[in-house]
Amino acid sequence: MSTQVLTTTLFLAVVALTIGITFWASRQTSGAADYYAGGRNFSGFQNGLAIGGDYMSAASFLGISGAIALSGYDGFLYSIGFLVAWLVALLLVAEVLRNSGRYTMADQLAYRMKQRPVRTAAATSTVVVSIFYLLAQMVGAGALVSLLLGIDGQFATNVTIFAVGILMVFYVTVGGMKGTTWVQIVKAVLLMAGSALIVILVLAQFSFNLSDLLGTAASNSGKGSAFLEPGLKYGVSTTSKIDFLSLGLALVLGTAGLPHILIRFYTTPTSRDARKSVLWAIGLIGVFYLFTLVLGFGAAALLNGDDMERVTASGGNLASPLLAETVGGGAGSTGGAVLLAVIAAVAFATILAVVAGLTLTSSVSVAHDLYNSVWRKGQATEKEELKVARIAAGGIGLVAIILAIPAQKLNIAFLVALAFAIAASANLPAIVYNMFWRRFNTRGAVWSIYGGLISSVGLVIFSPIMSGKTDAATGANLSLLPASIDISWFPLENPGIVSIPLGFLLGYLGSVTSKEPAAEDRYTELEVRALTGAGAEASVQH
């Protein structure tokens, strides 16, 4: 069997497995509670695996290891930020959100406020954050499948992105939350097992001496000891230092505002299970991010010059797959082909699971918050709502496909960081204020969500990401827009240091300037629900 046939067969086997899970789950899905929240019958351990599967995205597996391979210590800062963020999620939102909501983030916000403006704002933010996150997964899929199937050229990559979009819409429309959750559980197990295998093989090359691994990586990188020290990427100038602080804020605070993570807390039967699921997820994710340290530095230490050029050209996204091929015996060897196929197939399963979760979250918000609660004023039937959710999934998938094609030159860990910045700016202020500030009201919620959303997206548009960024050595254009266009008046690539405080400030100003009387009874009821879980499955509409 040729190596190409082998890789293609394993790749198709993973796709077939996930499709089979989706069809099985579709037969277990009978209503909105099943479609939106998986029937609320996943245990803490199962939901912890699913959260890990949702969170350990292509950005984690491909983007962070690539960032470490190219930038050393500074690349590993992504791993630290993603992991520490879970403490914020655990302490601030996991239990209270599960206890006080029903299906979406907007349920919790709208409980003591005017339905239409708050749900519209929350749904808009959910869709925008999800699409940014989706871009990262689609870009990773394009790079990965092109490598896996041995296809070259922009057209082939674009076809791959389109195929992933079709698959993710299928998962959501057919399997709902049950199918998506089981795909994420299976994917989490495969990802941990595959990563552990490569980590062991990499460490075996250095007799399990981490110091030798780091020393070889520093030597092969051409940057010497600077590769293992802070400052290679973010310490070049004052601007880059501020940019790193902005990135750190977004990573640490963003998880607690990510819609596709928040919706996972609604799938557990009790608040105790919600807490347990986060603890399981922290353990799983913590081990995985230690793996990325070995994967990234292993790629820097073991990949040859040609492979590192391919890693650099992909924005770092091919570091882990090429490392798997190298430790398996190298290009052309059976062992290398097997490991490349396994790791690429696992990474593809990772992408499929995450995009399904993101698409589901967005489509549920459109159907439950916009269609039923805003447009139909709560009068839509469950059947109508589910139909709209499935249609919305198709529309969101199409938008993600269109936007992912021009974004292929960006590192996917960076794309996810932008989604984190938007989530931390638009969603987190409203959630925190709503749970812990009695005076918070409708205007405050709307101002904080739209203010954080517009400022974070707007600053990205006028940042070096969109225009004006060039490679210092080659002069190549590194921005999304053509080199002839330069609208980059905002110097930072990460907007969080401005947009996150602005979201909190606007939430405060909106509340104190509004004449809307504080709904004291509603706040007290919400507080009781958040602490006890009483009425968690009751409708929050009023």
Side-chain angles (χ1 to χ4, degrees):
M1 181 184 293
S2 71
T3 57
Q4 193 62 64
V5 172
L6 180 64
T7 55
T8 304
T9 301
L10 284 173
F11 163 73
L12 293 176
V14 169
V15 175
L17 174 64
T18 56
I19 289 175
I21 291 171
T22 303
F23 274 123
W24 169 80
S26 69
R27 293 197 292 271
Q28 321 295 319
T29 300
S30 59
D34 282 339
Y35 188 86
Y36 293 164
R40 298 185 191 275
N41 59 5
F42 287 99
S43 69
F45 174 66
Q46 290 173 329
N47 198 48
L49 280 175
I51 290 174
D54 217 356
Y55 194 68
M56 295 183 298
S57 65
S60 300
F61 187 55
L62 303 178
I64 292 178
S65 59
I68 295 171
L70 297 177
S71 303
Y73 178 93
D74 282 11
F76 186 54
L77 294 174
Y78 277 99
S79 293
I80 297 171
F82 283 137
L83 180 58
V84 172
W86 270 106
L87 296 177
V88 180
L90 174 62
L91 294 174
L92 280 183
V93 303
E95 184 178 354
V96 295
L97 199 66
R98 186 264 160 211
N99 287 348
S100 56
R102 190 184 183 198
Y103 296 136
T104 67
M105 177 184 74
D107 285 339
Q108 193 250 24
L109 292 175
Y111 186 74
R112 64 187 184 102
M113 298 177 190
K114 296 177 182 176
Q115 290 279 314
R116 301 185 75 180
V118 171
R119 285 190 182 276
T120 301
T124 302
S125 175
T126 295
V127 171
V128 172
V129 172
S130 297
I131 286 177
F132 266 89
Y133 214 116
L134 275 170
L135 291 183
Q137 313 311 313
M138 308 287 267
V139 169
L144 191 65
V145 178
S146 296
L147 170 70
L148 183 64
L149 301 183
I151 53 178
D152 296 312
Q154 192 64 52
F155 177 76
T157 306
N158 293 347
V159 170
T160 298
I161 290 174
F162 180 79
V164 172
I166 297 300
L167 270 175
M168 77 182 185
V169 172
F170 164 79
Y171 292 140
V172 173
T173 55
V174 175
M177 177 58 86
K178 279 192 174 180
T180 298
T181 299
W182 280 110
V183 167
Q184 288 163 345
I185 290 172
V186 170
K187 165 255 165 157
V189 173
L190 291 175
L191 181 61
M192 291 301 293
S195 299
L197 174 62
I198 302 304
V199 165
I200 290 170
L201 291 175
V202 169
L203 291 175
Q205 300 276 334
F206 300 92
S207 302
F208 294 90
N209 187 322
L210 189 60
S211 180
D212 285 351
L213 167 62
L214 296 177
T216 306
S219 175
N220 287 357
S221 70
K223 302 177 179 69
S225 60
F227 193 68
L228 305 178
E229 298 171 356
L232 194 62
K233 180 177 176 64
Y234 292 109
V236 179
S237 64
T238 301
T239 299
S240 67
K241 292 176 182 177
I242 297 173
D243 207 8
F244 167 67
L245 178 60
S246 186
L247 168 67
L249 277 174
L251 294 182
V252 170
L253 298 178
T255 297
L258 287 175
H260 71 294
I261 298 298
L262 299 179
I263 200 173
R264 291 237 54 91
F265 297 135
Y266 299 129
T267 63
T268 56
T270 67
S271 58
R272 184 170 181 267
D273 284 312
R275 289 195 304 274
K276 284 176 61 178
S277 65
V278 176
L279 291 173
W280 275 109
I282 287 175
L284 192 70
I285 293 165
V287 171
F288 176 76
Y289 283 135
L290 289 177
F291 286 170
T292 64
L293 179 68
V294 178
L295 293 174
F297 284 114
L302 296 175
L303 295 184
N304 60 36
D306 290 340
D307 282 343
M308 282 307 295
E309 286 182 9
R310 295 174 70 187
V311 171
T312 303
S314 69
N317 300 330
L318 293 181
S320 289
L322 291 175
L323 175 64
E325 184 179 51
T326 299
V327 296
S333 68
T334 301
V338 170
L339 281 184
L340 172 62
V342 169
I343 293 305
V346 166
F348 192 69
T350 294
I351 291 168
L352 294 179
V354 175
V355 297
L358 288 162
T359 309
L360 177 68
T361 302
S362 301
S363 62
V364 167
S365 190
V366 169
H368 182 63
D369 296 325
L370 289 181
Y371 175 73
N372 189 7
S373 301
V374 175
W375 296 330
R376 295 293 303 278
K377 299 181 180 179
Q379 301 304 308
T381 65
E382 191 174 272
K383 185 177 181 181
E384 291 172 335
E385 195 174 309
L386 289 175
K387 180 180 179 181
V388 171
R390 291 185 167 101
I391 294 172
I396 291 162
L398 180 62
V399 171
I401 291 168
I402 293 171
L403 293 179
I405 290 173
Q408 292 175 54
K409 66 173 73 172
L410 297 178
N411 179 279
I412 51 182
F414 174 76
L415 282 171
V416 165
L418 291 183
F420 273 63
I422 298 169
S425 305
N427 296 343
L428 185 63
I431 293 171
V432 171
Y433 278 143
N434 193 51
M435 288 309 311
F436 302 108
W437 187 26
R438 187 178 297 270
R439 192 174 175 182
F440 193 52
N441 55 33
T442 303
R443 179 186 286 182
V446 172
W447 280 24
S448 66
I449 293 174
Y450 283 133
L453 183 65
I454 293 170
S455 62
S456 54
V457 174
L459 290 176
V460 169
I461 291 174
F462 294 107
S463 77
I465 297 304
M466 291 300 294
S467 65
K469 184 180 180 181
T470 57
D471 187 300
T474 64
N477 177 35
L478 300 178
S479 300
L480 292 180
L481 295 177
S484 58
I485 301 175
D486 187 358
I487 55 174
S488 58
W489 56 262
F490 183 66
L492 305 181
E493 295 184 5
N494 298 282
I497 198 168
V498 175
S499 58
I500 295 172
L502 186 61
F504 278 99
L505 176 62
L506 289 172
Y508 171 78
L509 291 177
S511 297
V512 299
T513 59
S514 172
K515 295 181 180 179
E516 178 185 352
E520 295 283 343
D521 56 337
R522 279 277 169 178
Y523 178 78
T524 303
E525 289 175 21
L526 184 64
E527 201 170 31
V528 171
R529 286 163 63 108
L531 293 174
T532 67
E537 297 186 36
S539 174
V540 295
Q541 296 171 1
H542 62 281

